[in-house]
Amino acid sequence: MTITSAYDRGRLTVYLSGELDHHAAGEAIHGIGELLDEFLPRDCVLDLSGLSFMDSSGIAVIARARYRMQSLSGRIWIECPSPQVQRVLDAACIDRLVPVTSGNIGGLR
Amino acid sequence: MNTVNIIRLEFPSKSVNESFARTAAAAFAIQLDPTVEELGDLKTAVSEAVTNAIVHAYPDSIGQIGMKLRILERDTLEITVRDWGCGIENIEEAMKPLYTTGGEERSGMGFTIMQSFMDSLRVRSSPGKGTTVVMRRTIRPRITGK
Ligand SMILES: Nc1ncnc2c1ncn2[C@@H]1O[C@H](COP(=O)(O)OP(=O)(O)O)[C@@H](O)[C@H]1O
Ligand SMILES: [Mg+2]
C-alpha cells in the first residue's frame, strides 16, 4: 500500500493505493495521522480509487481518520471506491459515519 | 457432499501472509469460474479469517495457521481457517457487529463481513485450544450464451 497526498486551500486529499489489510493498516493510520497533523485541513478527502483490495482493517483506518477530523472540527468523506472496496464499505454501513461519493464532485457543497 | 478437489496449506501467523492466503484461495477458486465480484468476496472473507488468527489467536507470538480449501459437489467452495491459539470465550458475543477486543486498529466488523460475503459461516472454538472457522459459498456456473 502507498499513500500520497495533495493539499489545496484547506482541503487535504489522501490517495490510498494498493492493498489495505491489517498488514498495511498500521502504516496507513500513522501516515494519515502525520498528514493531518502537518496540514490541519478543513476538509479531508480519502480518495480510494487506487485501492485494489480492502478488508475490515480499512474500516478502522477510516474510523480513525474521521475521529481526527472531528477533533479538528473538519469534514471528511470518501471518494471513488472500487467495487470490492464499496462492498466492504456497505457491509460495514460506513455511510453512517463517513459519506461516500462515487465520482470526484469536489466535496459536499 | 462429495469432495471434488482439496488443498491444505499451513503458514506462520505473520501479517505478510494475509495477502498470500487470500491470493492462494482465489487461485484455487478459479476452477469454479467465479465472477470478479465473487472472487472479491472470497478474498475478503479469507482475509478476515486469517487476520483474526494472526491478530487475536496469537497476540504476542507467532503460531501456525491452517487453511483448507475444498470444492464440494456441486460448485461449492468450502474454506476452513484454523489456529491453535487462545480461543474465544463467547462466540455469540464475538460475532456481533462492532464487538472487538483488538483496540483502535480493529473495527469489530470481521465476522459481519464473513457472514455477509459467504453463504454460511460456522465458528468452533475452545479457550486455550484454538479456533476453527468454516465458510461456504456456492459459485453458480455462468450462462455464457455460447
Ligand atoms: N481466531 C480467533 N482467536 C481468538 N479470538 C478471536 C478469533 N477470531 C475472532 N476473535 C475474537 O472475536 C472478536 C471479533 O472479531 P472480528 O469480528 O473479526 O472483529 P475484529 O477482528 O475487528 O476485532 C475479536 O476482537 C476477538 O476477540
Ligand atoms: Mg477481525
Side-chain angles (χ1 to χ4, degrees), chain A residues 43-93:
Chain A
D43 294 339
C44 175
V45 183
L46 298 176
D47 185 316
L48 304 187
S49 57
L51 215 52
S52 55
F53 176 84
M54 188 184 93
D55 65 17
S56 73
S57 310
I59 300 297
V61 172
I62 293 164
R64 268 290 267 281
R66 171 185 178 262
Y67 177 78
R68 297 291 310 277
M69 284 309 293
Q70 272 188 327
S71 67
L72 295 174
S73 305
R75 301 181 299 177
I76 182 166
W77 65 94
I78 294 165
E79 280 182 6
C80 304
S82 72
Q84 186 274 333
V85 174
Q86 182 71 59
R87 278 177 69 73
V88 173
L89 296 173
D90 287 345
C93 301

Side-chain angles (χ1 to χ4, degrees), chain A residues 2-49:
Chain A
T2 54
I3 306 176
T4 53
S5 65
Y7 182 78
D8 180 40
R9 282 165 294 167
R11 174 172 303 171
L12 177 70
T13 305
V14 179
Y15 302 90
L16 297 179
S17 61
E19 301 201 319
L20 178 50
D21 57 8
H22 156 255
H23 181 65
E27 192 189 321
I29 288 174
H30 186 74
I32 294 170
E34 283 198 329
L35 286 167
L36 295 179
D37 284 344
E38 182 181 343
F39 292 103
L40 303 173
R42 174 169 39 79
D43 294 339
C44 175
V45 183
L46 298 176
D47 185 316
L48 304 187
S49 57

Side-chain angles (χ1 to χ4, degrees), chain A residues 53, chain B residues 40-50 79 81 110 113-114 117-118 135:
Chain A
F53 176 84
Chain B
D41 287 359
L42 296 173
K43 286 170 80 172
T44 312
V46 168
S47 202
E48 297 298 347
V50 169
I79 302 168
V81 175
I113 286 173
M114 287 182 249
F117 284 19
M118 300 297 280
M135 308 180 275

Side-chain angles (χ1 to χ4, degrees), chain B residues 79-93:
Chain B
I79 302 168
T80 304
V81 175
R82 80 171 291 196
D83 63 68
W84 294 266
C86 68
I88 304 173
E89 291 279 348
N90 184 338
I91 296 176
E92 202 187 322
E93 184 180 43

